[in-house]
Amino acid sequence: MSFAEIFTVVVPVFLIIAVGYGTGRRALFDAGGAQALRELTMQLALPAALLLSIWQTPRHVLVEQLPLVGLLAFGLLGVYAVLLGVLRLAARRPLRRAALFALACVQPQYAFMGTSILGGLFGSAEAAVPIAVAGILVNVVLDPVVLILLGMPEHPARGTAATTADSTSALRQPALVTVGGGAPAEAAPPVAAGGASPEDRPSVLRTVGHALREPFCWGPVLGLILSVSGVGLPEVADASLTLLAGASSAAALLYVGVSVSRIGRPKLTPAVWAISLTSVVVLPLLVYGVGLAVASAADAAQAALIVAFPVSPVPLMFAARHGSKADIQAIGSAVVLSLLLSFVTLPLLIELVG
């Protein structure tokens, strides 16, 4: 694929995001309108697209995707664990800040942007499988684990400056609903940033159960069951799901733009640059290199592109509930900066992976 063809796939995606940003700046979409775009995509259109594509995928093709599952688990879960350990033990960051910053480094906007870009590169059926796998790993495993960590009390001997900053930001409302990383693992009410009471702390079963009730999670699983079982796709179901799935790309990209317009001007600190570059450069190159060593070039390319999208605002939402003002500022800035950087890094990565 030539560089001109790559830009033909990538540029329209960013143009639609720019349209969404412009409508957000002009207040054509209020908070309720932005939420409606998000619900249309995550609750209806995108689950329908994933269900349809996976249902139409032959069983032997799904079995061949097991190496891709391993690569995505490495990129999303394994790298998160390493970054959390480095930030917590080597950099001596408080637990909540380490959990939030590590999440911002590894959770991309694979769902909203991936359907358009990966669909344009590989075809909608090929793109549906890695997006669905990433959605299950993030919503059923990664985000619930992060919520558990955020609900744990900080060690009393840790720095008082961070504790003071946390306590002054108690009872924050979520700054932004989730973008591109799937539905939030738990819709718990806001809690004091300095620590949640035992009854307010999220449990593993509750957060995983909430995630599994989301159409974005059970839709692909249902498609997998139907495909493996050999159940044919009725014509009426095919036509209906196709119509609903057609709304996913445009609504998703508009929502990304509207949401970014509400974050504000980014503050380019070293932490913001570190999160952004890890997200759109270091992580995809690492996953691609590991993929070439242990799997096929095609699996390596798909896994690398899934994790190469900009920072998802899901960590920003978690920071608004559990972090300090500095955490909110840093992660919000990383969302904006990584989106700008990805306009350059995504075409370069697509050219690299062929």
Side-chain angles (χ1 to χ4, degrees):
M1 180 177 281
S2 68
F3 216 71
E5 291 173 319
I6 293 172
F7 266 88
T8 301
V9 174
V10 174
V11 170
V13 171
F14 283 90
L15 287 176
I16 300 301
I17 292 174
V19 171
Y21 180 85
T23 59
R25 294 294 293 177
R26 296 187 62 186
L28 297 181
F29 284 102
D30 58 9
Q35 179 68 5
L37 281 175
R38 186 256 170 201
E39 295 299 324
L40 170 63
T41 303
M42 298 304 298
Q43 300 294 329
L44 294 172
L46 186 55
L50 296 177
L51 168 61
L52 178 63
S53 296
I54 295 176
W55 193 353
Q56 291 174 324
T57 304
R59 278 177 290 186
H60 72 276
V61 174
L62 294 175
V63 173
E64 293 169 358
Q65 300 298 318
L66 290 178
L68 177 63
V69 176
L71 283 176
L72 288 175
F74 163 75
L76 296 170
L77 307 180
V79 175
Y80 176 81
V82 172
L83 290 175
L84 178 65
V86 170
L87 290 170
R88 180 66 173 154
L89 301 177
R92 303 285 185 178
R93 294 292 184 266
L95 177 60
R96 292 191 187 93
R97 176 167 293 179
L100 289 168
F101 280 22
L103 182 65
C105 289
V106 303
Q107 184 162 343
Q109 298 186 34
Y110 58 87
F112 284 173
M113 295 181 67
T115 53
S116 299
I117 292 181
L118 296 183
L121 294 173
F122 303 114
S124 58
E126 286 286 329
V129 175
I131 291 173
V133 171
I136 293 171
L137 290 172
V138 167
N139 289 288
V140 180
V141 182
L142 181 59
D143 284 349
V145 167
V146 173
L147 282 170
I148 301 302
L149 294 174
L150 294 175
M152 296 174 63
E154 292 284 5
H155 193 284
R158 294 293 173 187
T160 56
T163 305
T164 303
D166 283 350
S167 62
T168 58
S169 57
L171 296 176
R172 291 185 202 88
Q173 296 292 333
L176 192 67
V177 290
T178 174
V179 178
E186 182 179 69
V191 296
S197 62
E199 60 270 19
D200 288 334
R201 290 176 192 151
S203 68
V204 175
L205 291 178
R206 185 171 56 167
T207 52
V208 171
H210 182 89
L212 290 174
R213 289 196 298 270
E214 294 292 331
F216 184 72
C217 280
W218 63 254
V221 173
L222 177 59
L224 176 64
I225 293 172
L226 293 171
S227 175
V228 171
S229 302
V231 177
L233 178 62
E235 261 187 64
V236 174
D238 187 1
S240 301
L241 290 172
T242 300
L243 285 174
L244 187 55
S248 61
S249 295
L253 296 175
L254 285 172
Y255 178 65
V256 172
V258 172
S259 300
V260 168
S261 72
R262 299 171 61 196
I263 293 175
R265 180 174 297 179
K267 187 176 182 181
L268 303 182
T269 64
V272 172
W273 278 104
I275 293 172
S276 302
L277 290 174
T278 300
S279 175
V280 300
V281 178
V282 177
L283 181 61
L285 290 179
L286 175 62
V287 170
Y288 184 60
V290 171
L292 289 179
V294 302
S296 68
D299 289 334
Q302 287 189 333
L305 289 171
I306 280 286
V307 300
F309 293 109
V311 176
S312 168
V314 171
L316 177 60
M317 181 190 71
F318 288 172
R321 293 175 179 171
H322 302 280
S324 66
K325 289 183 178 179
D327 298 336
I328 297 171
Q329 178 67 51
I331 295 175
S333 297
V335 171
V336 178
L337 178 60
S338 63
L339 179 63
L340 297 175
L341 290 174
S342 67
F343 184 72
V344 176
T345 59
L346 269 175
L348 291 176
L349 181 66
I350 294 169
E351 175 72 13
L352 172 67
V353 303

